[in-house]
Amino acid sequence: MNGKYGLNKREIADLLRERDINPTTQRIEIAHLLYEKPQHLSAEEIRQRMNSEYEKCSQATVYNTLRLFVERDVVRELIFSSDRIYYDSNTEKHHHFVDVDSGNIYDLPEHMIQPPTLEGCALEGAEVLETSIIVRGKLNGDGSHLENMQNNCCRSSQRSTLKSRKVTEKKSEE
Ligand SMILES: [Zn+2]
């Protein structure tokens, strides 16, 4: 797995400083929670876990922190719809598989799916920064195969770019 997972709080503070973020206690705790492993958590799940495992943290603090983290590439925002937004601790380029039965989200390595060429479609006047695919389906089994793939997906080293990026979600409907 990538070196950023399972970091202690001092290492998390260093990582935030690298991204030009003042490492307040609550920011460190939110990043510590997200970087436990590659995962996709909603703001509400993060707030609930913060309140049960760490210091009490207001909803506004969680939302403001997540906005800052997305801006500085600490996490990626994964928007399925206006009411299903997740924060992804894997900041490498990758695609996703969503199990329609459980709602679980798994990372798929970038090389696994050839993204569509967008040349010639009506995207004039827009600069495409990235295309990511969401595959929806049903699991035949317990998902351990996809979990292993997810762990291998995020092996490569963490980039240190501070440039914020817009995520272009290209849904792949069945
Ligand atoms: Zn992901």
Side-chain angles (χ1 to χ4, degrees), residues 39-40 78 88-90 94-96 105-108 150:
Q39 58 185 336
H40 312 86
L78 187 59
D88 190 342
S89 58
N90 180 1
H94 62 285
H95 305 295
H96 291 96
I105 306 164
Y106 299 89
D107 287 346
L108 302 174
Q150 168 165 285

Side-chain angles (χ1 to χ4, degrees), residues 121-128:
C121 65
L123 272 169
E124 278 171 46
E127 182 200 358
V128 176

Side-chain angles (χ1 to χ4, degrees), residues 14-125:
D14 289 341
L15 187 143
L16 293 181
R17 271 188 217 101
E18 256 175 50
R19 304 298 166 96
D20 243 353
I21 297 172
N22 180 25
T24 62
T25 308
Q26 286 176 325
R27 286 173 182 166
I28 292 172
E29 291 183 342
I30 293 173
H32 187 248
L33 170 69
L34 279 155
Y35 279 179
E36 265 175 13
K37 56 183 179 183
Q39 58 185 336
H40 312 86
L41 298 172
S42 69
E44 184 50 25
E45 282 167 333
I46 293 165
R47 194 187 62 80
Q48 282 174 5
R49 287 197 45 198
M50 281 295 293
N51 289 347
S52 62
E53 294 167 38
Y54 297 89
E55 268 177 53
K56 282 255 179 288
C57 193
S58 74
Q59 195 180 34
T61 304
V62 171
Y63 278 88
N64 291 338
T65 302
L66 289 171
R67 196 175 312 129
L68 179 68
F69 282 2
V70 170
E71 222 177 85
R72 304 287 163 87
D73 208 26
V74 175
V75 292
R76 308 186 103 180
E77 202 170 30
L78 187 59
I79 304 172
F80 286 174
S81 62
S82 57
D83 59 347
R84 285 192 75 194
I85 300 172
Y86 297 95
Y87 295 89
D88 190 342
S89 58
N90 180 1
T91 50
E92 300 298 319
K93 283 186 181 174
H94 62 285
H95 305 295
H96 291 96
F97 177 85
V98 181
D99 174 28
V100 294
D101 292 328
S102 66
N104 287 342
I105 306 164
Y106 299 89
D107 287 346
L108 302 174
E110 193 194 15
H111 62 79
M112 204 176 139
I113 301 170
Q114 202 58 48
T117 41
L118 297 172
E119 283 160 38
C121 65
L123 272 169
E124 278 171 46

